[in-house]
Amino acid sequence: KVRRKERVAILHWSTPAYMAPLVEIVRGERTSAGTIRRINGWMGSLGKLPLNLNRDVDGMIINRVQHAMMREALSLVDRGIASLEDIDIAVRYGFGFRYVVTGPVRQRDLNGLVINHRAATQIYPTLNNSRRPPRALADRVRKGHVGVTVGRGFYAWDTRELDRYVKRYQRTLEQVLRLMRAFDHPR
């Protein structure tokens, strides 16, 4: 219903939006190159890193990759292979810390594609490919355990400690962002 379709694009801000550097910009079928240039310039002037997608796809890049990981992680919980805490530790200290300095594709080059191909050949057939949210998520939502706003999600949250935790989380994210920028600006 928009008259000037060449002037329309989707902006997907990462969270927390005031701090996270990346903004995904999705081109519509009729979005002009000039519109994309203007939005990229605007995002740059705000200190954001624009990431351009050539067309819309549900979830864009960030949410698609994040949900693929979460589907598998929560499947491991549902199957009794690991606890929620185990998943958090594995991601943070196993592969997550490397992503402060490089993305998953470049990390594969650093590790070597032969070993990655061998692992993919073995692991891919065993990955969860359910079309439904894992039980570990669905059950919590059904019970109303939806996160910090109600004091319970995957974890129980002490509302007296939440403000302190969030402030510490934000300070740490700021430090991580400084480290990332000091190491290598992605563009």
Side-chain angles (χ1 to χ4, degrees):
K1 297 182 180 183
V2 175
R3 255 185 250 146
R4 306 271 320 261
K5 290 179 173 47
E6 72 277 4
R7 296 178 65 187
V8 175
I10 298 170
L11 273 70
H12 176 228
W13 298 74
S14 300
T15 58
Y18 71 92
M19 184 186 304
L22 188 74
V23 176
E24 292 176 300
I25 301 168
V26 182
R27 172 187 303 273
E29 287 181 26
R30 297 186 188 161
T31 307
S32 72
T35 296
I36 296 299
R37 278 193 304 275
R38 286 180 65 199
I39 294 172
N40 284 340
W42 177 40
M43 291 298 103
S45 74
L46 295 174
K48 299 298 182 183
L49 176 64
L51 180 68
N52 293 274
L53 283 73
N54 294 322
R55 63 184 174 89
D56 192 19
V57 60
D58 291 343
M60 294 161 240
I61 295 173
I62 296 167
N63 283 327
R64 289 183 75 83
V65 172
Q66 182 173 264
H67 279 272
M69 180 190 68
M70 286 305 299
R71 178 173 63 186
E72 184 60 31
L74 294 177
S75 170
L76 293 169
V77 171
D78 285 354
R79 293 167 46 206
I81 294 170
S83 70
L84 295 167
E85 294 82 3
D86 293 336
I87 298 297
D88 277 349
I89 291 168
V91 171
R92 286 185 68 212
Y93 295 99
F95 63 85
F97 84 100
R98 298 183 300 214
Y99 293 162
V100 171
V101 294
T102 191
V105 177
R106 188 170 296 199
Q107 183 61 40
R108 297 299 85 190
D109 273 352
L110 292 170
N111 283 359
L113 297 185
V114 171
I115 189 72
N116 187 63
H117 184 266
R118 284 184 193 144
T121 301
Q122 179 181 3
I123 296 168
Y124 283 17
T126 69
L127 291 174
N128 179 300
N129 65 354
S130 174
R131 293 181 176 266
R132 299 168 101 157
R135 191 175 59 250
L137 174 61
D139 287 353
R140 283 171 174 80
V141 171
R142 186 177 38 74
K143 292 176 183 175
H145 299 170
V146 295
V148 296
T149 57
V150 298
R152 184 159 188 83
F154 290 113
Y155 293 96
W157 293 90
D158 181 342
T159 54
R160 296 169 297 183
E161 297 295 321
L162 184 58
D163 188 51
R164 187 178 322 161
Y165 180 85
V166 169
K167 286 178 181 171
R168 185 170 165 228
Y169 171 76
Q170 291 171 338
R171 281 193 311 270
T172 304
L173 286 179
E174 290 167 356
Q175 293 171 341
V176 168
L177 190 53
R178 281 194 295 277
L179 286 171
M180 290 172 71
R181 288 181 174 148
F183 179 77
D184 179 17
H185 196 278
R187 296 189 188 219

